[in-house]
Amino acid sequence: MLVEKKLKAKVSRRQFLKGLVAVTATAAATGSSSTAKAFLWEEYFQKHYKNLSPEDKQKVFARIENETKKKYGVDVKVSDPPPLKGVKFAYGLNLTKCNGNRLCVAACQKENNLDRSFGYIKVLEIDKGTMNLEKGNRYYEGTVPKEGKFYLPIQCNQCEQPPCTRACPIEATWKEPDGIVVVDYDWCIGCRYCQAACPYEARHFNFHTPEIPAEEINPNQSYLSNRIRKRGVIEKCTFCLHRTRNGKFPACLEACPTGARKFGNILDPNSDIYYIMKHKNVFVLKEDLNTIPQFFYYFD
């Protein structure tokens, strides 16, 4: 009974850090300097994002900007645009118009400073007349669209009941008031519980330090979205919150040449997404799991 209770208990960051400190000390004592150097004291003992004062944030943002300048030689600006009152973001995707060109994937990589070996968006090529995601081909090649196929992009569904946030033992990921699920990358300990909990495979773990061409780094960065992440943490799509909270569309939408992607405030009767919800037969992926996705698909 005691063991079961301990397994179910939330583990505090302090407890994790105590373990990390012990590992670091052991590494230093045994001469493993590379491991010891991996622990940046200032960063690891930083407060959770929600507990940072405005002054704390400015110091943290300045540290990130300096680190980026030192590593890449690029001047960037880090900010944290807050959620907008009366706004709840949602996404709509017209599968009749999507032709599988994957321009959305490339635009997302550049906008969000991703390692070019992966993307927040996965596009499945599926036989028409079926909806078996397990048999969808994410590695298709050649000219698109192909006869007898349709294309289904998948990214974070920004669920209303996200299992990923509940799985995190230290509350390093949470859902914001505008519906976007975010990660404090400096608080994440890389346990990957959230990745295992996500039924949409929307979270990526950095097994190695992301490699990003310096000349392609997006200098307009946000603490909770597209700042350059590090090795050993989880990252995910944030609906480009550094853009959408400032009145712009996500980069993937702007890159789509077919108009398949629609985005906006689902509470606004004049928004595209509101119209889609009212007039289209929308569906979500894995509805039976009751995660209540905020990414809706439909056919014309």
Side-chain angles (χ1 to χ4, degrees), residues 222-237:
S222 167
Y223 182 85
L224 293 175
S225 61
N226 67 333
R227 67 179 169 110
I228 298 175
R229 279 72 61 190
K230 57 194 174 186
R231 175 170 59 90
V233 301
I234 286 285
E235 57 177 277
K236 65 178 287 296
C237 161

Side-chain angles (χ1 to χ4, degrees), residues 240-254:
C240 288
L241 68 81
H242 52 284
R243 295 172 57 90
T244 53
R245 287 178 178 175
N246 285 310
K248 298 180 180 178
F249 286 120
C252 53
L253 184 152
E254 289 196 346

Side-chain angles (χ1 to χ4, degrees), residues 149-300:
K149 306 288 186 182
F150 76 98
Y151 298 86
L152 190 149
I154 299 176
Q155 57 202 81
C156 178
N157 282 246
Q158 317 291 351
C159 303
E160 279 293 279
Q161 298 186 35
C164 52
T165 60
R166 293 197 299 271
C168 181
I170 57 168
E171 301 180 2
T173 180
W174 66 94
K175 189 172 180 66
E176 294 267 89
D178 58 1
I180 299 175
V181 177
V182 297
V183 179
D184 184 341
Y185 300 114
D186 286 348
W187 200 255
C188 175
I189 57 172
C191 66
R192 302 173 63 193
Y193 291 172
C194 61
Q195 186 181 32
C198 176
Y200 307 103
E201 299 181 17
R203 288 177 173 247
H204 174 83
F205 180 72
N206 289 331
F207 281 101
H208 61 81
T209 301
E211 296 181 4
I212 306 165
E215 66 276 13
E216 295 182 8
I217 287 176
N218 180 358
N220 176 27
Q221 301 183 3
S222 167
Y223 182 85
L224 293 175
S225 61
N226 67 333
R227 67 179 169 110
I228 298 175
R229 279 72 61 190
K230 57 194 174 186
R231 175 170 59 90
V233 301
I234 286 285
E235 57 177 277
K236 65 178 287 296
C237 161
T238 62
F239 279 173
C240 288
L241 68 81
H242 52 284
R243 295 172 57 90
T244 53
R245 287 178 178 175
N246 285 310
K248 298 180 180 178
F249 286 120
C252 53
L253 184 152
E254 289 196 346
C256 179
T258 69
R261 289 174 170 269
K262 300 296 181 183
F263 176 85
N265 178 10
I266 202 170
L267 304 179
D268 179 2
N270 297 315
S271 69
D272 288 339
I273 190 66
Y274 184 93
Y275 177 87
I276 290 167
M277 296 299 293
K278 192 172 183 178
H279 297 283
K280 302 291 184 181
N281 291 320
V282 301
F283 67 93
V284 296
L285 299 181
K286 302 184 178 181
E287 182 179 12
D288 55 314
L289 298 180
N290 200 34
T291 61
I292 313 180
Q294 296 303 293
F295 198 106
F296 303 94
Y297 297 90
Y298 61 99
F299 290 93
D300 277 336

Side-chain angles (χ1 to χ4, degrees), residues 54-215:
E55 293 74 22
D56 292 334
K57 288 182 179 179
Q58 291 310 309
K59 291 179 181 177
V60 172
F61 299 170
R63 172 180 59 76
I64 295 171
E65 292 166 358
N66 290 334
E67 289 173 355
T68 305
K69 177 70 173 181
K70 184 177 180 181
K71 182 172 183 179
Y72 296 96
V74 177
D75 291 313
V76 303
K77 182 65 178 176
V78 179
S79 62
D80 65 330
L84 304 174
K85 291 184 178 178
V87 171
K88 181 183 175 187
F89 288 124
Y91 218 122
L93 206 149
N94 187 340
L95 295 175
T96 304
K97 290 187 175 180
C98 181
N99 63 10
N101 58 65
R102 291 190 180 121
L103 292 177
C104 55
V105 178
C108 174
Q109 287 178 322
K110 289 186 177 179
E111 179 65 34
N112 290 290
N113 294 313
L114 297 185
D115 185 297
R116 300 302 189 254
S117 65
F118 78 97
Y120 290 159
I121 304 171
K122 303 178 181 68
V123 183
L124 301 183
E125 185 180 71
I126 301 175
D127 291 334
K128 285 185 176 178
T130 70
M131 188 52 85
N132 189 338
L133 302 185
E134 302 301 324
K135 292 186 177 180
N137 178 15
R138 70 174 62 174
Y139 305 107
Y140 64 87
E141 296 179 346
T143 303
V144 292
K146 296 175 185 171
E147 189 69 25
K149 306 288 186 182
F150 76 98
Y151 298 86
L152 190 149
I154 299 176
Q155 57 202 81
C156 178
N157 282 246
Q158 317 291 351
C159 303
E160 279 293 279
Q161 298 186 35
C164 52
T165 60
R166 293 197 299 271
C168 181
I170 57 168
E171 301 180 2
T173 180
W174 66 94
K175 189 172 180 66
E176 294 267 89
D178 58 1
I180 299 175
V181 177
V182 297
V183 179
D184 184 341
Y185 300 114
D186 286 348
W187 200 255
C188 175
I189 57 172
C191 66
R192 302 173 63 193
Y193 291 172
C194 61
Q195 186 181 32
C198 176
Y200 307 103
E201 299 181 17
R203 288 177 173 247
H204 174 83
F205 180 72
N206 289 331
F207 281 101
H208 61 81
T209 301
E211 296 181 4
I212 306 165
E215 66 276 13

